[in-house]
Amino acid sequence: MSGGPQWGRRQLLRTGAAALGGAGAGWSAAAAVAVTASTPEQTATTPDAGATGASDGYQTVPALDVHQVGISTPPQAHATLLGWNLNPGSGVEQLRRMMRLLSDDAVRLAAGSPALADTEEELARFPSRLTVTFGFSPQLMARLLPRQRRPRLAELPTFGQDRLQEQWGQSDVIAQVCADDPITLAHARRMLTKDARAFASIAWTQHGFRNARGTVPDGTTMRNLMGQVDGTVNPSPDDADFDGLVWSDQEGFAGGTFLVLRRIRMQMDRWDRVDRAGREATIGRRLRDGAPLTGFSEFDEPDFEATDRFGFPVIDPASHVARAHSTDPAERFLRRAYNYAVEDPDRSTGEDAGLLFLAYCADPARQFVPVQQRLDEQDRLNEWVHAIGSAVYAIPPAARPDGYVGDVLLEEV
């Protein structure tokens, strides 16, 4: 790499705050990308993203002034969730240094530029709409931040249907890494993991996927591995109430949001024994097109009062659609789900499969919890699915100019 300062990863780890500076000073992520993008290697090998004939691999996601990317961004085909726990004895300064490095990596890689001291920089040339979104646990903030600086975020209550496993539990820090290309994603994941190693250990890594880009038209509601259209009732950034549902207005945290992460295991071997009529009755929607059993197209409103010729409800009151439905418009949140399937020789199907359910909302206790409590109490789908992992995170607003993600919280300590 030429044309700019020669920063090695080891040097960055040693110098930390002194080298990179605090919010509003020093070497910023945005400035780092500007330097890297001007190097001869980059200008010679990376065509303009809008140039005729340029592949989708060169597409980038524009940065947002207030919010982190990867939330309202149209979901990419692949996702990796990285959970870290800070090393024992670490304090605010260690977290600051870690977030400076990771924020710098994220901005560079999302622009199609190699991260600092990137030993596989050729893998960074195709950003493929890469986004990296960071968040902090309520426990971490309670340890490191004074009460007046913490955004209000409570742990989730206990749900009776959960079968939680410690290996998929709460971590201190999360990074949601998404891209349309799995090689791009793997490289970004590796760079982030390497640069966090001096400050934190990996608690878990969770991989998810949707349809490959181009398989279905943009905007098509995803299907989960049970074959269901999954996420029909999802707010859109074009909706008038979207901002109030997703973005926090808490003082000192405005523009941030909160993430509920649930790892939902599906009992696919048992689901295979259910016929099509039984599957549709369980969900309350047709498998073919996702339409409610009382409707004709996916986005028709379900009619929960409709009865058949025998006087029975067309949509079972215990169906998933009926239990998830609310007459309170505030009980809505932004879903960003991904399928998962990993090898598991101990299971009859040879794999553990399910859904990484991500819910972004301005107030999880007001929006997510009531819906989940209804599903927990009675939902026909509970016979075939249960949560094996659960966590919540505060997702800070975008980095301030010349800053890093989380600076609005960490630099005020």
Side-chain angles (χ1 to χ4, degrees), residues 23-355:
W27 185 261
S28 73
V33 168
V35 170
T36 305
S38 68
T39 64
E41 293 88 347
Q42 285 304 108
T43 55
T45 60
T46 305
D48 181 79
T52 302
S55 75
D56 287 346
Y58 291 111
Q59 293 190 359
T60 59
V61 175
L64 302 175
D65 290 337
V66 178
H67 315 299
Q68 287 194 63
V69 293
I71 302 168
S72 58
T73 303
Q76 300 93 320
H78 304 276
T80 293
L81 306 175
L82 297 170
W84 287 286
N85 289 327
L86 287 191
N87 293 335
S90 295
V92 173
E93 182 55 32
Q94 284 73 32
L95 182 57
R96 287 175 182 147
R97 291 168 60 190
M98 174 175 159
M99 294 310 302
R100 289 190 187 103
L101 281 170
L102 299 190
S103 298
D104 183 85
D105 287 346
V107 174
R108 286 173 173 267
L109 293 168
S113 300
L116 291 170
D118 195 334
T119 54
E120 297 87 25
E121 63 180 54
E122 289 78 11
L123 299 181
R125 291 176 178 168
F126 302 98
S128 300
R129 295 200 306 133
L130 175 72
T131 58
V132 184
T133 313
F134 297 105
F136 306 133
S137 74
Q139 297 87 346
L140 177 70
M141 294 186 295
R143 292 201 313 264
L144 301 185
L145 301 178
R147 185 177 298 276
Q148 66 272 19
R149 295 302 309 164
R150 299 176 213 157
R152 295 184 299 278
L153 175 62
E155 298 180 45
L156 295 179
T158 300
F159 300 112
Q161 297 293 334
D162 286 358
R163 302 291 182 268
L164 301 182
Q165 300 177 358
E166 186 177 354
Q167 69 193 84
W168 306 117
Q170 185 75 57
S171 67
D172 287 339
V173 180
I174 190 173
Q176 172 197 280
V177 191
C178 301
D180 286 323
D181 182 79
I183 294 180
T184 295
L185 184 65
H187 177 63
R189 178 176 71 242
R190 183 162 183 262
M191 289 307 307
L192 293 167
T193 302
K194 286 196 296 184
D195 277 349
R197 194 172 294 154
F199 308 100
S201 60
I202 285 286
W204 40 251
T205 302
Q206 304 188 52
H207 305 289
F209 57 90
R210 291 173 165 236
N211 285 114
R213 193 168 188 204
T215 300
V216 297
D218 290 347
T220 300
T221 307
M222 71 166 280
R223 285 186 183 268
N224 62 38
L225 297 181
M226 286 179 156
Q228 307 155 3
V229 174
D230 193 315
T232 297
V233 184
N234 208 24
S236 164
D238 296 329
D239 295 343
D241 60 350
F242 181 85
D243 286 359
L245 291 171
V246 177
W247 308 119
S248 173
D249 60 0
Q250 292 186 31
E251 184 179 356
F253 195 69
T257 185
F258 300 98
L259 168 64
V260 177
L261 169 61
R262 305 270 286 171
R263 187 179 181 91
I264 311 290
R265 173 177 285 167
M266 297 174 174
Q267 303 290 338
M268 298 300 292
D269 52 343
R270 297 176 56 242
W271 184 248
D272 289 341
R273 306 170 198 165
V274 183
D275 64 16
R276 196 172 187 85
R279 294 181 179 202
E280 293 183 338
T282 296
I283 304 304
R285 291 184 179 274
R286 291 198 302 264
L287 288 169
R288 182 180 72 250
D289 53 15
L293 297 183
T294 55
F296 299 96
S297 63
E298 178 186 352
F299 297 101
D300 287 348
E301 284 291 327
D303 182 357
F304 297 108
E305 303 300 321
T307 57
D308 61 18
R309 62 193 180 93
F310 301 107
F312 294 108
V314 176
I315 298 178
D316 187 337
S319 68
H320 185 72
V321 164
R323 297 301 296 173
H325 178 75
S326 175
T327 57
D328 185 347
E331 289 183 2
R332 297 165 61 216
F333 42 81
L334 179 64
R335 299 165 52 105
R336 190 183 177 88
Y338 284 88
N339 297 304
Y340 79 84
V342 296
E343 293 181 7
D344 187 348
D346 294 331
R347 303 183 71 80
S348 63
T349 58
E351 66 178 11
D352 174 13
L355 194 71

